Structure formats: structure tokens, C-alpha cells
Amino acid sequence: MPSVGWDVDGTEVRAMDTRMPVRPSGARPVTTRATGAGTALRAARVMSAIVAVLMATSAAGGLWITGLYRDPPSLVAAFRGYDLVALAVAPVLAVVLVASRRGSARIELLWLGILAYAVYNYAFYVFGAAFNAFFLIHAALFALALFAFVLALANLDVAGRVAVAARTRRFVPWIGGLLVLAAVIGVFWAYSSLRFAVTGEPVQTLPVVLPDAGLHLAYALDLSVLVPSYLLTAILLWRRVAWGYVLATALLAAGVAHQLAYLSAMAFQWRAGVPGSRAFDAMEPPIALAYLVATVVLLRAVPRARAAAPDPRT
């Protein structure tokens, strides 16, 4: 039985004998955070399991159901490229969910990264695709991944092993610098947007060929979500705040999947003969490799969970 605490005149008192706690006279019960955290994490795991199933279903449908996407050819090819990566990520998420029940902080950080990838990825399907037969699946994927990410992030044991890694590791500055470099894309997007506002010149395109609506959505998501997240996380990381360590790991892990999705989408567009497409962009693999190295370094720095200690929140 877990220990029970009471607040007496502003002081918390915990019963020493957990088998038969004695409540002091006039004391009020105190609700421990562990119970609420455990419930929230269980809910996040259930939602994440549904995400894994729906992700595999959505990706398989996009790859093999002819005519599912009712968009311009460039966007159809891009979605199919994204689907190929999502089909590979779905089983990884399932494995991570099973492993996360052992209470490993490393696995939980990787879990957050996969959910962050799913939120960003399926925002394009929900807000950037024409209405199709899988609309409800895409909407459910986006919503479930978002809510699972928030619940998991809010109830992660940041005060434990993650905080130790954030305070003691000397590699934090260069990883923060990597996040700032990733945020530089916002400068190009902002400049391109201002130039369009003043001169009417078309905005800068992406390695993946997108119609105007898709390009608008990519600019909007990058400038309003990714760039601020990178900058805030870099600042927190440099200040050795544990939350910065958590967000950096999640963002970089998600970034690996995003870069692979870009490469896959480019290949699909080139194979489909989309005008202006190219089979490969030499800049994308180094970026993906840098994200991967940083993610591995961050994950390895977190002390291992003791095998004999089960997760008290599940």
C-alpha cells in the first residue's frame, strides 16, 4: 500500500507504517501526485496504442489504395512518401509503448519524440489535404497524438534521472546550437514572406514540391510551432533546465523522422514525374544524421532505470 500523507497546520506528515497509516486528529487528506500521474500516463499509453494502429492503417491505405488522395499530383506523391515513413514508425511506437511500462526515462523520451513527429506529420493531412475517405482517421491521429503528447509530457518524471543528465552533461551547448541552427529556417521563411508582401515575388519553395496551399501550411507550421519550439528549447537547454533536456530530445527524435519523410516524399515525387521535383537533396541526410547523433547522445546520457524497480505510475 502506498504511503499516506496529511497536511497538519501547513506541515505534511507521512505515516511510517504503510500497512496501517494513522491519521492525526484534525488532519486533512492530501492527494498524492503519483496517482494522478499514473492515470494520465495510462491514458496517454492507450491513446498512443490507438495512434500506432491508425498510423499503420492510414499509411498502408495511402500507399496501396488507388485514388485515396484527391489532391494535386505533387501533394499526392508527397503524402505517399510520408506514408512510407509512417508505416515504418508505427511498429517502432508499438515497441516503445511496451518498453515504456518498465519505467525507463530513455524510452519515455523517445516516446515523446514519436508523438511529436505524429502531431506535426498529421497536421498536414488534416489541414492540408482535400477531403478524402480517411479524413476521420487523420483527424483522430492528429488529436490523439496531440493529447497523448501533452499528457505524457506533463507527467514525465523530470525531477529524477532527466534532471541529473541536464545538470551534469557538458555537451548541452552544442546541442542547443544545433537547435538554433534548425530554427534559422524561420529567418528564410520570414524574409521570403516579407519579400512577397512588398514585391509580390513568389515565396521560397521547399525541397518537396508543394502547391500554394501546402506551402502556406508548411510556412505556418514552421514559423508558429517548430521555430519557437527550437529557440525556447535551446535557451532552456543552455540554462540546464530539465524541461529543456526533455523537449530537446523529443524535438530532435521527431526531426529524424521528419527528415526521412522529406527524403521519401522527394523520391516519390521524382518517380511520379512531378515538374520541378528532384530525387535527392544533399542537405537532408546531414541534417538527419546530426539530429540522430544528438538524439542518441541525449538518450545515452540519461541514467538507466533499475531493472528491479517497476514504474510506480502504472
Side-chain angles (χ1 to χ4, degrees):
M1 180 182 297
S3 60
V4 179
W6 292 279
D7 192 6
V8 183
D9 296 329
T11 303
E12 186 179 14
V13 178
R14 291 193 177 273
M16 298 302 294
D17 184 357
T18 59
R19 294 170 299 173
M20 188 177 296
V22 179
R23 177 177 176 178
S25 176
R28 294 178 287 105
V30 171
T31 302
T32 60
R33 183 177 181 273
T35 302
T39 301
L41 283 175
R42 282 193 294 272
R45 287 193 178 98
V46 169
M47 287 189 286
S48 298
I50 299 174
V51 167
V53 173
L54 292 181
M55 186 183 296
T57 303
S58 170
L63 287 169
W64 289 299
I65 296 179
T66 303
L68 174 65
Y69 299 121
R70 303 168 54 250
D71 302 275
S74 61
L75 199 53
V76 171
F79 281 141
R80 297 186 72 238
Y82 298 155
D83 285 335
L84 181 62
V85 174
L87 191 62
V89 171
V92 175
L93 175 57
V95 172
V96 165
L97 283 175
V98 174
S100 70
R101 298 185 65 85
R102 300 181 60 184
S104 170
R106 295 179 179 181
I107 294 297
E108 288 183 334
L109 291 174
L110 184 57
W111 175 27
L112 287 174
I114 297 175
L115 289 176
Y117 152 76
V119 172
Y120 182 86
N121 185 61
Y122 287 102
F124 282 96
Y125 290 75
V126 173
F127 303 112
F131 199 87
N132 59 61
F134 273 20
F135 169 74
L136 291 179
I137 294 178
H138 297 150
L141 273 166
F142 175 73
L144 288 169
L146 176 61
F147 294 141
F149 177 81
V150 171
L151 284 177
L153 182 66
N155 292 280
L156 190 70
D157 182 19
V158 178
R161 295 181 294 273
V162 176
V164 172
R167 289 195 302 266
T168 60
R169 299 300 167 176
R170 296 181 180 179
F171 53 75
V172 164
W174 75 262
I175 293 182
L178 177 62
L179 288 167
V180 171
L181 286 176
V184 169
I185 192 174
V187 176
F188 294 106
W189 288 179
Y191 169 77
S192 183
S193 300
L194 288 173
R195 184 185 63 184
F196 172 78
V198 175
T199 68
E201 293 185 34
V203 295
Q204 183 176 344
T205 58
L206 303 175
V208 176
V209 179
L210 296 174
D212 286 345
L215 194 60
H216 175 271
L217 180 58
Y219 269 52
L221 288 175
D222 285 353
L223 288 173
S224 63
V225 179
L226 281 190
V227 170
S229 298
Y230 288 153
L231 293 177
L232 174 61
T233 300
I235 293 171
L236 293 176
L237 203 59
W238 284 331
R239 294 179 63 87
R240 297 188 182 276
V241 177
W243 281 112
Y245 199 99
V246 170
L247 292 173
T249 309
L251 288 172
L252 289 168
V256 174
H258 293 155
Q259 295 305 125
L260 293 177
Y262 296 153
L263 288 168
S264 177
M266 291 172 61
F268 268 77
Q269 288 187 334
W270 178 78
R271 186 174 180 180
V274 174
S277 64
R278 42 186 168 166
F280 182 74
D281 183 355
M283 289 296 296
E284 300 301 323
I287 294 173
L289 180 61
Y291 286 174
L292 178 60
V293 170
T295 301
V296 171
V297 169
L298 288 168
L299 289 174
R300 285 179 59 85
V302 178
R304 289 180 178 273
R306 292 187 297 271
D311 185 357
R313 294 163 293 165
T314 57

